[in-house]
Amino acid sequence: MIGIGTNLVTCPLQPSLGCVYKLVEVNGSPCLKLTEDEEKMTIPGMKTIYRLYDAAGHPFMDLMALEEEPSPSAGQELGIRVLGRLGETTTVIPSTVEPLHRTYFRDGQVCEPLPSLPEVRTHAQLSLSLLSPAHRRLHEPQPYPVAMTERLHRLFLELRQGSR
């Protein structure tokens, strides 16, 4: 497989949109892009994502899980791995759990009506307004963490170690 960089196919003086498509599963088998830069590695398998909220109603983390994993529950302690700090396990207890993953297309067909642009804008504005002030502030905002479940992390490690 070969990847062509944006600067090779466009003039650097012209605006371009950098996009990346990363394969995470082939014929039902999870796969992983290997690279020295951990931030550029893919996270394998079909996933779903949840937004975890604290008792004040602020989202404090988004959590990736394998699609077949049971949904996390409010009040349930979760062992997670935060991206960028995968070497350490952290536990969190969300007060509320919101599933974020929606499937709009399946097998090339629309399976759920697409929201209008005003609906998308309203949803984005509401989501931003719910962030804690520490995440919203313009000067030195607190990074908003994204994490993975322990099960997804084990799959990630198995594939990374198995390809060495």
Side-chain angles (χ1 to χ4, degrees), residues 1-4 21-23 26 31 33:
M1 185 178 294
I2 186 169
I4 305 295
Y21 178 83
K22 294 185 178 179
L23 204 55
V26 176
C31 60
K33 173 190 173 186

Side-chain angles (χ1 to χ4, degrees), residues 9-39:
V9 296
T10 62
C11 173
L13 300 176
Q14 297 298 316
S16 60
L17 177 63
C19 293
V20 177
Y21 178 83
K22 294 185 178 179
L23 204 55
V24 296
E25 190 170 286
V26 176
N27 296 328
S29 296
C31 60
L32 173 72
K33 173 190 173 186
L34 290 175
T35 176
E36 295 295 319
D37 186 354
E38 190 173 278
E39 288 183 4

Side-chain angles (χ1 to χ4, degrees), residues 56-131:
H58 298 296
F60 67 88
M61 174 180 293
D62 287 351
L63 178 67
M64 291 183 289
L66 290 167
E67 201 171 55
E68 67 267 10
E69 287 187 72
S71 299
S73 301
Q76 169 191 4
E77 184 175 279
L78 301 168
I80 52 102
R81 303 286 180 129
V82 176
L83 299 186
R85 299 191 320 253
L86 292 178
E88 56 191 75
T89 301
T90 305
T91 57
V92 295
I93 303 174
S95 292
T96 306
V97 176
E98 175 189 10
L100 295 181
H101 186 198
R102 303 283 295 267
T103 302
Y104 289 100
F105 297 93
R106 185 177 308 278
D107 299 323
Q109 301 297 315
V110 176
C111 58
E112 183 173 329
L114 297 173
S116 68
L117 287 178
E119 289 170 328
V120 170
R121 182 185 318 111
T122 299
H123 177 76
Q125 289 171 335
L126 176 62
S127 294
L128 288 171
S129 74
L130 292 175
L131 286 173

